[in-house]
Amino acid sequence: PPFAWITVPERRLALDGSNALTMISFLLMVNKQGQTRLSSYYAWLPMAERVALESEIIRKCLSRSELQCSFLEYRGYKVVYRRYASLFFIVGTKADVDVGTGAENNENELGMLEFIHTLVETMDKWAGSICELDIMYQLEQVHFLLDEMVMNGYIVDTNKSNVLKTIDLMERESRKDEGMFR
């Protein structure tokens, strides 16, 4: 079929018996100097809190050595990060706020690392070898690519060909003289 139906994951029962669902709260792409090249937030935060949280998490991730693990907990967020060349990919998750304040974040850190790796592989396949300049100069396409993989904070597609098919269609359409997006 030309369209694949995407379903948001159902609530799963956490180990402690609560009905907690974890979602990605934010995704950051940061260079080695700590400059944010892409930020995508899936949970609403006031701008002042967003800026403060982002700078603190970036500072914490960049100050860690390569011998330390890539997971940390900060302000109720479970932060998973990975460095590829000169870029850090940082994902923050938090337990579902609808469940209550005592909800535990049971997100699988290795699953998040695998998602980061899949995202980087998909971006590599799209741009050759992804670098900071690709993100800076093709920010809109990177957002499209990310939006194909993550919807409303939930990972919906990790198949590289499916993700890249829509990006390719948009690029081909934009090159036409009387394209749909002109």
Side-chain angles (χ1 to χ4, degrees):
F3 296 101
W5 291 100
I6 299 171
T7 58
V8 176
E10 297 296 320
R11 291 193 178 273
R12 62 179 181 255
L13 196 60
L15 294 175
D16 61 358
S18 67
N19 196 12
L21 182 65
T22 4
M23 63 178 259
I24 295 174
S25 299
F26 58 86
L27 188 137
L28 307 171
M29 293 182 198
V30 180
N31 68 9
K32 287 192 293 188
Q33 289 76 37
Q35 298 166 319
T36 304
R37 294 303 178 200
L38 178 135
S39 66
S40 191
Y41 287 84
Y42 301 102
W44 187 85
L45 285 173
M47 190 53 88
E49 187 178 337
R50 188 182 282 196
V51 169
L53 177 72
E54 195 172 306
S55 65
E56 292 165 9
I57 285 178
I58 290 170
R59 191 170 36 254
K60 282 198 173 290
C61 291
L62 268 60
S63 67
R64 294 168 66 93
S65 76
E66 289 184 20
L67 300 175
Q68 292 177 298
C69 78
S70 298
F71 320 132
L72 60 103
E73 289 200 23
Y74 184 73
R75 277 214 228 156
Y77 290 96
K78 194 175 279 190
V79 179
V80 179
Y81 69 95
R82 183 135 185 210
R83 180 179 168 197
Y84 286 92
S86 65
L87 285 171
F88 283 83
F89 292 78
I90 304 170
V91 175
T93 64
K94 200 169 194 172
D96 194 358
V97 292
D98 296 334
V99 176
T101 56
E104 192 173 321
N105 187 344
N106 295 317
E107 189 59 59
N108 182 347
E109 294 93 347
L110 295 176
M112 282 295 119
L113 269 178
E114 186 62 32
F115 166 70
I116 292 171
H117 186 69
T118 303
L119 174 63
V120 171
E121 281 183 336
T122 307
M123 292 171 78
D124 277 345
K125 198 171 176 184
W126 164 69
S129 179
I130 194 73
C131 67
E132 186 178 348
L133 291 175
D134 292 325
I135 294 170
M136 289 172 54
Y137 293 119
Q138 299 177 349
L139 188 63
E140 188 175 45
Q141 286 92 343
V142 176
H143 272 287
F144 285 146
L145 191 143
L146 185 59
D147 289 344
E148 286 295 317
M149 296 180 80
V150 180
M151 183 182 295
N152 222 16
Y154 298 101
I155 300 169
V156 291
D157 199 354
T158 56
N159 185 324
K160 293 179 208 75
S161 339
N162 286 349
V163 171
L164 292 173
K165 208 178 294 178
T166 55
I167 304 298
D168 182 49
L169 284 172
M170 284 193 303
E171 286 176 356
R172 276 194 282 153
E173 189 64 33
S174 68
R175 281 184 287 224
K176 287 184 181 175
D177 286 338
E178 61 261 352
M180 184 166 76
F181 298 112
R182 291 195 182 253

